[in-house]
Amino acid sequence: MNASELITKGDLNEFKSELLTEIKRLVQLDGQGQSKKWLKSNEVRKLLKISPGTLQNLRINGTLSYTRVGSIMYYKLDDINKLLEGGLQ
């Protein structure tokens, strides 16, 4: 490691500032009518008007893909729309 590769406190503060600015920009965009891209299980059940068991069956048989983060399952809104249009197998 040479001296030009060292990260200073100033570098970290600048990075923090840029990161916070970007997060604020994204939050503002989301609040301007941009729809969510990922939905939780309860949101999917309400949207499709299905029971928890039916949603589980859609996951098990591969009809609806999901991503698990911890104990929460997320579903892509695009996949749900395709399912509603009859495009997912």
Side-chain angles (χ1 to χ4, degrees):
M1 178 186 268
N2 60 39
S4 65
E5 294 177 338
L6 291 177
I7 297 174
T8 65
K9 286 184 180 182
D11 294 334
L12 291 175
N13 283 331
E14 183 180 340
F15 175 71
K16 178 179 80 170
S17 177
E18 290 174 8
L19 185 60
L20 288 172
T21 301
E22 182 66 15
I23 289 171
K24 287 177 186 175
R25 186 186 68 79
L26 291 172
V27 168
Q28 287 173 348
L29 281 178
D30 191 41
Q32 294 176 352
Q34 188 180 29
S35 64
K36 296 168 73 171
K37 295 184 183 207
W38 292 88
L39 301 175
K40 293 181 181 178
S41 293
N42 63 335
E43 295 169 317
V44 174
R45 290 195 324 263
K46 286 179 186 176
L47 181 65
L48 298 178
K49 296 179 179 147
I50 59 175
S51 69
T54 301
L55 183 56
Q56 182 179 7
N57 285 335
L58 292 173
R59 285 193 311 265
I60 290 170
N61 66 26
T63 302
L64 189 57
S65 60
Y66 65 97
T67 299
R68 176 178 246 148
V69 178
S71 62
I72 301 173
M73 287 176 262
Y74 293 93
Y75 305 83
K76 283 186 181 178
L77 183 57
D78 289 343
D79 288 348
I80 295 165
N81 288 331
K82 287 177 188 173
L83 178 66
L84 289 171
E85 294 168 2
L88 285 180
Q89 302 299 322

